[in-house]
Amino acid sequence: GNKSVESLQRNVDRLKEYMSKLVFLPSRKRKSQKSQDSRAKLKECKQNTHKHIIPIPRVKYEPSRAITADEKKFMAFSTLRIARAEKRLVGPRQKAKASKKDADS
């Protein structure tokens, strides 16, 4: 899947390479279309019958390492929950701040 920007970019590059290698066969009804290749080019093309036409390159991951003290102290779930709450409460907090400012003046 495309769970990160890096994997998405790898898939985009792979699909662009695939699209560049496609050869459009002419249809019988319309002989002149921009997307169709010339007949000479079609004759020299051979069909690729390999299982992996465009192989997916293997990604080298960094080796495992020991967890640092800072990483042990960091509470990821709490940090995410606080960040979500902050985002969700931006509007109501601004509204409350504005109403308090109006009440003071």
Side-chain angles (χ1 to χ4, degrees):
N2 296 323
K3 293 184 179 180
S4 67
V5 176
E6 293 85 11
S7 67
L8 175 68
Q9 191 57 47
R10 281 195 306 267
N11 281 336
V12 168
D13 293 340
R14 195 170 57 84
L15 289 172
K16 282 182 182 176
E17 181 185 356
Y18 171 75
M19 292 298 290
S20 71
K21 292 182 179 186
L22 280 180
V23 176
F24 294 96
L25 300 175
S27 62
R28 292 182 183 187
K29 293 179 184 175
R30 297 181 193 157
K31 291 185 179 179
S32 60
Q33 286 184 354
K34 291 180 182 179
S35 64
Q36 294 176 348
D37 293 313
S38 66
R39 295 223 179 247
K41 189 175 180 183
L42 286 173
K43 286 181 182 177
E44 65 187 40
C45 290
K46 292 183 181 177
Q47 185 172 359
N48 191 340
T49 56
H50 294 285
K51 182 178 178 184
H52 301 291
I53 295 174
I54 299 175
I56 299 172
R58 295 287 173 200
V59 179
K60 292 184 179 179
Y61 296 102
E62 62 181 58
S64 350
R65 57 179 174 74
I67 298 173
T68 63
D70 289 337
E71 290 172 342
K72 282 186 180 181
K73 277 193 256 178
F74 181 70
M75 295 185 293
F77 184 77
S78 300
T79 306
L80 285 173
R81 294 304 304 163
I82 291 168
R84 287 184 185 135
E86 293 288 331
K87 183 180 177 186
R88 187 179 71 239
L89 296 172
V90 166
R93 285 182 179 159
Q94 286 177 347
K95 191 175 182 181
K97 192 175 183 181
S99 64
K100 186 177 179 183
K101 192 176 184 181
D102 289 342
D104 289 344
S105 16

